[in-house]
Amino acid sequence: MAARGHVQDPNDRRLRPIYDYLDNGNNKMAIQQADKLLKKHKDLHCAKVLKAIGLQRTGKQDEAYALAQEVAALEPTDDNSLQALTILYREMHRPELVTKLYEAAVKKVPNSEEYHSHLFMAYARVGEYKKMQQAGMALYKIVPKNPYYFWSVMSLIMQSISAQDENLSKTMFLPLAERMVEKMVKEDKIEAEAEVELYYMILERLEKYQEALDVVRGKLGEKLTSELQSRENKCMAMYKKLCRWPECNALSRRLLLKKAEGKILAGEVHYSIEQAVKFIEERITEESKSARPLRGPYLAKLELIRRLRCRGCNDEYKLGDPEELMFQYFKKFGDKPCCFTDLKVFVDLLPSSQYTKFISQLLEVIPLSAAAESEVALPADIKALQQHLCVVQLTRLLGIYHAMDKKEKLTAVRELMLRYRHGLEFGKTCLKTELQFSDYYCLLAVHLLLDLWLEEGEETAVWQCLTFLEEGLSHSPSNAQFKLLLIRIYCRLGAFEPVAELYSSLDAKHIQHDTIGYLLTRYAESLGHYAAASQSCNFALRFFHSNQKDTSEYIIQAYKYGAFEKIPEFIAFRNRLNSSLHFAQVRTERMLLDLLLEANISTSLEESIKSMSLSPEEDDIPWKDLRDNRDLTVLFNWDPKDRDISEEHRKLSLEEETVWLRIRSLTLRLVSGLPTLSHAIQPKNSEKTAENGVSSKIDTIRSLLQQLEAAVDSGKKFLEQKIQYPVLGPPPTRMAGFFSNGSCQCQTSLFYLVSDIYELDTNGLEDSAEIQERIGNSFKSLIERLTDLFNKCKGDLIEVRDGTLKTQPNLLENLVFFVETISITLWVSSYCDSVLRPFKSNLQKKKKKKKESSVAMPPVFTHFLDYVTELQTLTSNVIDHIKGLEIILTALKLEELSLKDTLLLQEEKKFTKTVQGKVQSSYHHSVQEIGELLKKRLDTIKKLKI
Amino acid sequence: MTSLRAFTCDDLFRFNNINLDPLTETYGIPFYLQYLAHWPEYFIVAEAPGGELMGYIMGKAEGSVAREEWHGHVTALSVAPEFRRLGLAAKLMELLEEISEKKGGFFVDLFVRVSNQVAVNMYKQLGYSVYRTVLEYYSASNGEPDEDAYDMRKALSRDTEKKSIIPLPHPVRPEDIE
């Protein structure tokens, strides 16, 4: 816990044991100790706050809050109470209460530097920029320290950044900030580098580039020392803004020559073309004399050609033929692992007719030797291997592999794997944390096989992919690319079990939950690995929830250290995480999953929804600002531009994810509205019911249902485009399956049913024959639809056909959708039950009273009973089907499978078996989890017999 | 062809290729933000022309000037696999040393796993020597024993007699280092 004031205070001594208990996580003892102390010293307010902290940490939020407000109402001014309350409010995620606290404190102690500064920071946490500006000035008046003054200036910049009205920001906030700094400059009071940085920041934002330049070049600029070449870089930026090219060129030339390594920083510098050509030629001549050749000047030449061509100039400057230059570059740097990345940018300079020639030209200069004429020529050392690997990568980039027919592709795969295994010789001494030199051969072979699988439907190819990758991983256990590709392929095959382990071995954490977490969360639940899905959502949510608190802390630090330029950056970062697509997805899916696993099984639907603080009216997803933080290029590929992941793919994928998220979020909100409709839970004769009661609830539901229909429509429209993302690009959402297997129709018709039942509820049984009939029909068609959905789940998950293994992972996804849909059906049915039950008991009472045996039972009762019976039968059938799948999966002896590919090496056979075993076991796991959940759901049907 | 620039928060979304390496730690957000707020000049990233992040260095300045312990510290240094063997790590170290020189540091230091021979050798080539061994500095998660670290140092020009790098005769425990 934070600082504890002065030791002399006897209260400190009394409080210390409580602090210690809290620090050690012994909250119970802390509460007891605080109670003891409060008996003796009633007015020791801090003890109350510490008790509140203990309560908060043991989950008693309401008590903690009440206690804290008791103390806050007294407007305490002692350090201990203030600090303890600050900590408590932060843990409660209520930073705005801290501002109230210190507002009261500075009123009582108007000259306290400490409290004023706490107040400033409290405002900073919640982004109250205007109040920060005032608090900063108030501080400066009490203690005229420069930082306080500049905190106030920075708050003006923040007001300008957050202002919706750009005009206001340029005509009011920034000029005011400028004047405030100018005043200090005139009085010669500028002290720190941060203050000059801030001045520069203001002028730059005001587009006063000349003034900014003068500051940087003048006396004040001398303070800019922390960052390397801070002044030069700022000058350069301003020269560019001012289009002062001669100065810009002279400065960049000086900077370039100063860099001993001679790397050329290619920016938007506007040399005259002749100058540029001359400069680069000079560098290259210099370079050729040095012992260690540098890549920069050579690449700069290619870059210059590229830019000249963009401008429509061709070879008038005699820079040379790009093909020849690239060839020369390869000869010099082909043994560097980055050679491919270096040249990748420039392949557009080659005419496509030259591709094959270019590749063979490169191959010719690599020293390879074959043991015999008929055998593959292999590299004798790492350098040659590296060069060859570069050519193979370029071959793929130029689309040469893609143009091959099936047989040629298979031959190429064999050769690549041979080279891969041969290359392992060079890495015998590699540590297990290092990669093998030849790993990329294996990856490239797998990419070729993926093409065969997906484009030519070659089923054996996917098993070979997994086999080779597992083999590769056994030699190079730290290779993240092997793991990532295995994850993607296993998921596509519907096998999630091996994925969990692979992913955990990547040791991805913190921000990586946001950037690559999608690899897990897209598949865990949809493949029926509910426990794993829960866990991965939890990890991600923990990260996102801590973000708000964490980043605020460092925004404050940035003020303290005068890192002003970082403040808007940190705020933008916090926003980027808060509006993350993935965050919104895991939030939604986590709640749906909790309901799926628990609602009306271990707790009632109503309680589950209450514990999640869900309400149908509330939508906390920032739809307009959703940020796609997924790292979609985390998997390497060497595909030509037209097959690579494009901006368009990213845009489309975000669109798809957003529509799907909308469907999911609306489903969740609709489900969360169910309990609000029930009579049973409406507090009787409460005033709320009258004014804001059930009738508005059904309106909410109906409006949500309309929105759901609209979302479904846009989803369908989206899918009509039949977009195919690259295999290693964004995984498609579950939306296509949701529509095609019929879950969508089932779910929407369920919510229409809710509306009808509500109508019955308000109309009563008499004169509602039409509604009753409608409900009866809905029941019937629902059963039909659910039966259709079940039919889509039938079939074998895995079977041996023509010597190869065939899988149907979509059956798994359909089963999962079935379970979800049946769960929603049962929640809706239980609402139905809650409406019909009172009707029935009323009728029975009447019957008893009148002692008549002929009070006719309204048709809706029969409809409902029939429907429930059919639901039960259907669910039992599905459970039987799942049992059947389990038996087949257990009995399936893959070891006996004689694979038709007789080319398989002994080593490969071993890995193939491992892979097949993993897939089989994963399916088994899925089927088990799905079956268990469905059994629990079946039990809840039995309660529905009115 | 590399551009070196200040590391920004947005780079955290793009550094997977560097960080999905078994010896590169991905820290919690507060850790990065602390460095960005306090020592932004010490956090530098290298970017390739195609936009790929190649590697980064993250460091800080700390220690008492009076006790001649004011120094630059390398907290993290990592280069993505395909951008290795270009001298990039050396370049990033050079920048950190230059900043530390300007700040008047006496030396630059860093901690490295004893088993990470590749890194230890590289640092030696760059003029660093083992100042002391820190026992069980790296805690292991999967039941393996904790690993020792070398605390390696290189004297800067302010330490004219190179007093700061005289090796300690005995290893120390993590709790004994500041």
Side-chain angles (χ1 to χ4, degrees):
Chain A
M1 192 153 290
R4 284 154 207 185
H6 304 286
V7 191
Q8 298 93 320
D9 191 342
N11 280 340
D12 275 348
R13 190 176 37 80
R14 295 186 185 116
L15 293 169
R16 180 152 306 265
I18 315 182
Y19 280 118
D20 289 341
Y21 282 129
L22 287 174
D23 280 351
N24 298 329
N26 199 341
N27 298 314
K28 247 192 189 157
M29 282 305 289
I31 296 170
Q32 276 180 24
Q33 186 70 27
D35 279 335
K36 230 160 79 191
L37 194 58
L38 282 168
K39 263 185 202 153
K40 272 199 242 165
H41 306 272
K42 261 194 169 155
D43 299 328
L44 194 45
H45 306 308
C46 183
K48 275 191 191 168
V49 185
L50 296 181
K51 182 182 169 185
I53 294 180
L55 289 168
Q56 165 77 18
R57 291 182 183 172
T58 41
K60 294 176 182 144
Q61 281 87 353
D62 294 344
E63 275 177 67
Y65 180 70
L67 204 52
Q69 289 317 85
E70 237 176 74
V71 180
L74 301 169
E75 305 190 338
T77 54
D78 65 298
D79 265 355
N80 282 326
S81 301
L82 287 170
Q83 282 180 19
L85 275 169
T86 306
I87 289 166
L88 176 62
Y89 288 150
R90 243 183 263 169
E91 289 185 14
M92 294 175 139
H93 297 281
R94 298 288 302 271
E96 74 283 359
L97 294 176
V98 182
T99 63
K100 300 276 172 295
L101 199 61
Y102 279 101
E103 277 169 3
V106 298
K107 242 180 228 158
K108 282 192 177 171
V109 197
N111 282 325
S112 163
E113 178 182 5
E114 195 188 340
Y115 294 166
H116 272 284
S117 127
H118 281 302
L119 180 59
F120 179 89
M121 295 309 176
Y123 286 140
R125 267 202 188 87
V126 292
E128 291 254 25
Y129 304 127
K130 192 169 170 58
K131 289 189 175 159
M132 285 162 72
Q133 182 199 339
Q134 292 156 353
M137 281 320 283
L139 255 174
Y140 187 67
K141 272 182 197 137
I142 300 167
V143 204
K145 292 181 186 165
N146 267 17
Y148 297 151
Y149 187 88
F150 285 91
W151 286 0
S152 193
V153 178
M154 185 61 206
S155 310
L156 274 167
I157 301 187
M158 289 316 298
Q159 287 179 68
S160 97
I161 291 175
S162 63
Q164 302 290 329
D165 180 357
E166 201 179 322
N167 200 29
L168 197 65
S169 127
K170 283 229 162 120
T171 55
M172 195 172 101
F173 296 124
L174 288 174
L176 188 54
E178 186 192 10
R179 278 203 298 283
M180 280 183 74
V181 182
E182 274 170 357
K183 183 167 175 281
M184 294 298 263
V185 175
K186 271 186 204 133
E187 292 169 17
D188 202 21
K189 281 188 185 160
I190 299 283
E191 287 167 3
E193 178 176 6
E195 297 158 16
V196 184
E197 289 272 4
L198 191 60
Y199 194 14
Y200 174 81
M201 221 167 124
I202 296 167
L203 293 172
E204 198 189 5
R205 283 172 186 269
L206 277 169
E207 294 174 40
K208 292 190 169 181
Y209 302 127
Q210 184 57 50
E211 287 85 342
L213 190 62
D214 293 343
V215 169
V216 176
R217 288 202 300 190
K219 187 120 187 69
L220 287 176
E222 285 169 20
K223 291 193 189 293
L224 299 170
T225 53
S226 286
E227 217 176 300
L228 290 177
Q229 289 167 353
S230 169
R231 282 177 97 177
E232 289 87 342
N233 290 337
K234 287 188 172 72
C235 279
M236 185 91 107
M238 292 303 102
Y239 285 142
K240 278 186 210 164
K241 290 281 185 196
L242 292 164
C243 298
R244 282 165 57 175
W245 305 122
E247 282 102 328
C248 192
N249 292 343
L251 180 59
S252 56
R253 196 183 160 93
R254 216 168 61 232
L255 287 176
L256 282 171
L257 293 177
K258 220 174 99 187
K259 287 184 190 292
E261 88 287 8
K263 281 173 189 163
I264 289 185
L265 303 154
E268 290 297 320
V269 182
H270 290 237
Y271 279 96
S272 81
I273 295 164
E274 289 79 6
Q275 269 180 318
V277 174
K278 189 164 158 255
F279 183 74
I280 290 172
E281 294 291 2
E282 278 169 17
R283 292 300 94 225
I284 292 181
T285 325
E286 284 292 307
E287 272 319 308
S288 54
K289 290 176 202 156
S290 82
R292 190 178 178 174
L294 293 159
R295 295 144 53 236
Y298 300 93
L299 292 175
K301 197 165 177 178
L302 281 161
E303 177 65 22
L304 191 58
I305 297 177
R306 202 174 63 85
R307 290 193 189 187
L308 287 175
R309 285 211 186 165
C310 284
R311 288 197 202 173
C313 322
N314 245 323
D315 284 336
E316 49 220 85
Y317 297 99
K318 310 253 177 313
L319 281 160
D321 174 20
E323 189 180 335
E324 177 60 21
L325 289 173
M326 286 169 80
F327 175 59
Q328 292 303 332
Y329 187 83
F330 175 79
K331 281 211 285 191
K332 277 205 166 60
F333 303 103
D335 59 333
K336 300 275 186 201
C338 67
C339 185
F340 168 77
T341 317
D342 286 343
L343 292 179
K344 183 182 174 179
V345 197
F346 301 112
V347 291
D348 288 345
L349 297 176
L350 297 174
S352 54
S353 57
Q354 296 298 304
Y355 288 172
T356 325
K357 201 193 103 204
F358 177 65
I359 291 294
S360 19
Q361 193 187 4
L362 299 187
L363 280 174
E364 270 165 32
V365 293
I366 309 173
L368 302 175
S369 55
E373 190 80 4
S374 58
E375 282 179 29
V376 176
L378 294 166
D381 57 18
I382 296 168
K383 279 191 167 190
L385 179 143
Q386 211 59 263
Q387 285 175 308
H388 187 265
L389 206 42
C390 177
V391 179
V392 175
Q393 294 173 74
L394 284 168
T395 310
R396 182 150 180 104
L397 180 71
L398 295 175
I400 295 172
Y401 285 126
H402 296 93
M404 288 178 174
D405 66 21
K406 191 172 141 187
K407 208 177 144 216
E408 287 170 322
K409 277 182 186 161
L410 282 171
T411 315
V413 167
R414 279 288 144 209
E415 188 194 314
L416 289 170
M417 284 310 286
L418 185 119
R419 291 186 179 280
Y420 163 68
R421 293 184 185 115
H422 167 257
L424 291 174
E425 273 180 32
F426 303 119
K428 277 188 178 145
T429 57
C430 283
L431 302 170
K432 69 172 195 281
T433 49
E434 288 176 272
L435 307 180
Q436 285 291 330
F437 298 99
S438 59
D439 279 352
Y440 280 4
Y441 280 127
C442 179
L443 270 181
L444 282 150
V446 171
H447 281 214
L448 259 167
L449 286 166
L450 276 177
D451 296 342
L452 278 170
W453 178 42
L454 296 165
E455 285 163 28
E456 309 193 25
E458 186 65 35
E459 193 85 15
T460 41
V462 68
W463 297 102
Q464 274 194 325
C465 285
L466 292 170
T467 301
F468 289 160
L469 286 170
E470 291 278 6
E471 180 185 343
L473 197 57
S474 75
H475 295 296
S476 192
S478 307
N479 191 319
Q481 289 300 321
F482 286 160
K483 293 176 192 172
L484 290 165
L485 197 46
L486 276 168
I487 289 174
R488 286 300 300 269
I489 301 175
Y490 275 126
C491 283
R492 260 193 101 118
L493 276 186
F496 190 80
E497 200 176 53
V499 170
E501 196 193 321
L502 285 163
Y503 190 85
S504 95
S505 79
L506 284 173
D507 204 18
K509 42 196 169 182
H510 310 299
I511 189 115
Q512 289 166 326
H513 289 305
D514 195 18
T515 55
I516 58 171
Y518 71 95
L519 294 171
L520 283 187
T521 51
R522 162 63 184 84
Y523 292 101
E525 189 196 342
S526 66
L527 294 172
H529 285 246
Y530 299 119
S534 270
Q535 204 193 27
S536 44
C537 284
N538 282 349
F539 282 140
L541 286 175
R542 211 173 300 150
F543 163 74
F544 286 114
H545 286 311
S546 63
N547 157 51
Q548 185 72 33
K549 216 171 69 186
D550 290 347
T551 38
S552 304
E553 213 43 54
Y554 292 94
I555 291 168
I556 286 169
Q557 297 245 340
Y559 277 103
K560 287 188 182 155
Y561 296 124
F564 293 121
E565 80 276 23
K566 289 290 164 194
I567 293 165
E569 186 184 319
F570 287 0
I571 291 172
F573 176 66
R574 181 173 65 189
N575 293 342
R576 184 168 175 185
L577 286 177
N578 279 338
S579 47
S580 158
L581 166 75
H582 187 62
F583 183 23
Q585 284 171 326
V586 286
R587 221 157 59 214
T588 309
E589 291 297 340
R590 169 75 233 230
M591 287 192 271
L592 279 168
L593 187 60
D594 276 352
L595 293 179
L596 185 69
L597 299 178
E598 282 158 20
N600 287 357
I601 293 176
S602 51
T603 53
S604 72
L605 178 65
E606 186 198 348
E607 280 163 36
S608 301
I609 285 165
K610 203 178 146 210
S611 74
M612 293 176 202
S613 336
L614 260 174
S615 100
E617 291 87 4
E618 260 171 62
D619 181 7
D620 64 350
I621 297 174
W623 295 104
K624 277 187 200 138
D625 304 313
L626 278 181
R627 287 291 299 269
D628 189 354
N629 296 333
R630 290 175 299 167
D631 183 350
L632 295 175
T633 49
V634 68
L635 286 120
F636 288 172
N637 80 72
W638 297 268
D639 285 336
K641 236 186 216 162
D642 59 332
R643 288 169 173 263
D644 201 0
I645 303 152
S646 67
E647 269 316 304
E648 187 64 14
H649 291 133
R650 285 170 202 275
K651 221 188 83 210
L652 287 165
S653 168
L654 174 60
E655 192 187 327
E656 181 183 344
E657 296 285 352
T658 309
V659 178
W660 177 235
L661 176 61
R662 210 179 270 279
I663 293 173
R664 300 296 281 171
S665 153
L666 286 165
T667 308
L668 178 64
R669 290 168 65 194
L670 277 162
V671 170
S672 79
L674 286 177
T676 64
L677 297 175
S678 293
H679 277 301
I681 64 134
Q682 281 302 320
K684 272 169 203 155
N685 60 39
S686 96
E687 284 166 36
K688 258 191 161 176
T689 323
E691 59 180 70
N692 192 16
V694 189
S695 70
S696 74
K697 294 287 180 194
I698 192 70
D699 290 342
T700 309
I701 298 242
R702 284 174 183 152
S703 133
L704 288 176
L705 184 50
Q706 270 179 7
Q707 294 175 46
L708 179 65
E709 288 274 29
V712 165
D713 273 348
S714 48
K716 283 183 179 156
K717 275 206 193 92
F718 181 90
L719 290 177
E720 276 166 20
Q721 303 172 76
K722 299 214 183 304
I723 287 141
Q724 290 274 331
Y725 304 111
V727 208
L728 306 179
T733 66
R734 302 165 66 193
M735 192 160 66
F738 180 64
F739 292 153
S740 67
N741 65 25
S743 309
C744 179
Q745 290 93 314
C746 283
Q747 294 191 11
T748 36
S749 63
L750 275 165
F751 295 118
Y752 278 111
L753 179 61
V754 169
S755 173
D756 284 342
I757 292 168
Y758 179 83
E759 217 180 314
L760 179 71
D761 193 10
T762 43
N763 276 9
L765 289 177
E766 282 138 45
D767 301 328
S768 62
E770 192 203 333
I771 308 172
Q772 292 193 35
E773 199 189 320
R774 207 157 68 216
I775 293 174
N777 289 339
S778 298
F779 285 150
K780 268 185 216 132
S781 72
L782 199 59
I783 293 293
E784 279 165 23
R785 283 182 173 149
L786 285 168
T787 311
D788 282 347
L789 178 53
F790 173 37
N791 287 335
K792 300 258 165 63
C793 304
K794 288 177 181 166
D796 283 323
L797 279 169
I798 187 166
E799 60 173 337
V800 186
R801 216 188 296 151
D802 313 326
T804 58
L805 272 182
K806 306 261 186 208
T807 59
Q808 295 195 75
N810 63 317
L811 295 179
L812 266 186
E813 294 219 33
N814 289 348
L815 261 179
V816 168
F817 271 124
F818 180 87
V819 176
E820 187 186 285
T821 308
I822 207 86
S823 303
I824 299 177
T825 310
L826 293 174
W827 296 326
V828 169
S829 305
S830 99
Y831 165 61
C832 222
D833 179 75
S834 77
V835 169
L836 295 182
R837 214 176 272 261
F839 281 143
K840 188 163 181 183
S841 57
N842 271 347
L843 274 178
Q844 273 164 342
K845 268 184 220 158
K846 257 190 218 165
K847 203 163 141 187
K848 264 187 200 162
K849 252 189 207 164
K850 293 190 178 175
K851 295 190 178 160
E852 281 174 41
S853 56
S854 65
V855 172
M857 274 291 150
V860 71
F861 290 154
T862 346
H863 295 323
F864 185 68
L865 284 174
D866 289 349
Y867 157 76
V868 171
T869 312
E870 283 184 79
L871 262 186
Q872 198 170 356
T873 316
L874 176 63
T875 310
S876 305
N877 287 346
V878 181
I879 291 173
D880 287 342
H881 169 69
I882 292 176
K883 270 187 210 143
L885 287 177
E886 262 191 81
I887 292 168
I888 295 171
L889 281 167
T890 320
L892 187 66
K893 296 271 185 289
L894 293 176
E895 302 91 79
E896 288 162 16
L897 176 70
S898 59
L899 287 160
K900 81 175 169 189
D901 192 345
T902 45
L903 288 168
L904 280 186
L905 305 171
Q906 206 50 42
E907 170 94 339
E908 285 174 18
K909 278 188 186 148
K910 192 184 90 195
F911 287 109
T912 306
K913 270 186 190 150
T914 316
V915 163
Q916 290 169 343
K918 280 184 180 177
V919 173
Q920 184 184 5
S921 148
S922 180
Y923 285 172
H924 197 253
H925 181 148
S926 296
V927 166
Q928 257 178 343
E929 271 201 61
I930 298 169
E932 268 161 38
L933 180 55
L934 197 56
K935 267 184 229 153
K936 287 183 194 160
R937 286 286 162 213
L938 179 65
D939 290 341
T940 72
I941 300 183
K942 290 168 188 159
K943 291 180 201 151
L944 291 175
K945 303 244 162 123
I946 51 167
Chain B
M1 205 138 96
T2 305
S3 63
L4 297 164
R5 57 167 178 79
F7 191 99
T8 68
C9 290
D10 280 343
D11 293 320
L12 293 169
F13 294 96
R14 305 167 51 214
F15 69 0
N16 283 321
N17 190 22
I18 305 170
N19 272 41
L20 286 175
D21 166 281
L23 295 176
T24 304
E25 180 73 13
T26 300
Y27 299 100
I29 299 298
F31 197 70
Y32 295 111
L33 295 192
Q34 185 196 345
Y35 278 79
L36 288 170
H38 203 157
W39 307 279
E41 68 278 7
Y42 267 124
F43 204 162
I44 301 166
V45 63
E47 199 175 71
E52 302 93 351
L53 297 190
M54 304 164 78
Y56 61 82
I57 194 165
M58 174 166 103
K60 60 180 171 182
E62 61 182 3
S64 140
V65 180
R67 296 212 303 261
E68 303 197 357
E69 282 164 0
W70 173 247
H71 69 281
H73 175 75
V74 184
T75 305
L77 169 64
S78 188
V79 173
E82 75 262 40
F83 299 108
R84 291 182 190 160
R85 295 173 54 225
L86 297 171
L88 189 57
K91 178 69 202 167
L92 291 167
M93 287 295 287
E94 193 189 307
L95 292 176
L96 187 132
E97 287 162 20
E98 207 179 321
I99 297 167
S100 307
E101 278 284 357
K102 278 172 76 180
K103 287 186 191 290
F106 290 89
F107 58 91
V108 169
D109 77 347
L110 56 92
F111 287 16
V112 59
R113 282 176 192 273
V114 172
S115 67
N116 192 352
Q117 268 311 312
V118 183
V120 172
N121 288 336
M122 181 194 76
Y123 291 128
K124 281 185 178 163
Q125 273 187 358
L126 297 177
Y128 288 74
S129 53
V130 175
Y131 167 67
R132 58 185 169 182
T133 304
V134 187
L135 299 170
E136 294 170 354
Y137 179 76
Y138 294 102
S139 40
S141 50
N142 42 359
E144 283 172 43
D146 292 348
E147 197 179 339
D148 297 349
Y150 286 138
D151 177 357
M152 299 184 78
R153 288 186 176 185
K154 179 176 177 175
L156 295 176
S157 60
R158 187 166 179 187
D159 179 13
T160 42
E161 292 161 52
K162 298 198 187 298
K163 279 191 291 191
S164 64
I165 61 163
I166 300 167
L168 293 191
H170 305 294
V172 295
R173 308 252 355 138
E175 51 273 23
D176 300 329
I177 54 175
E178 286 159 42

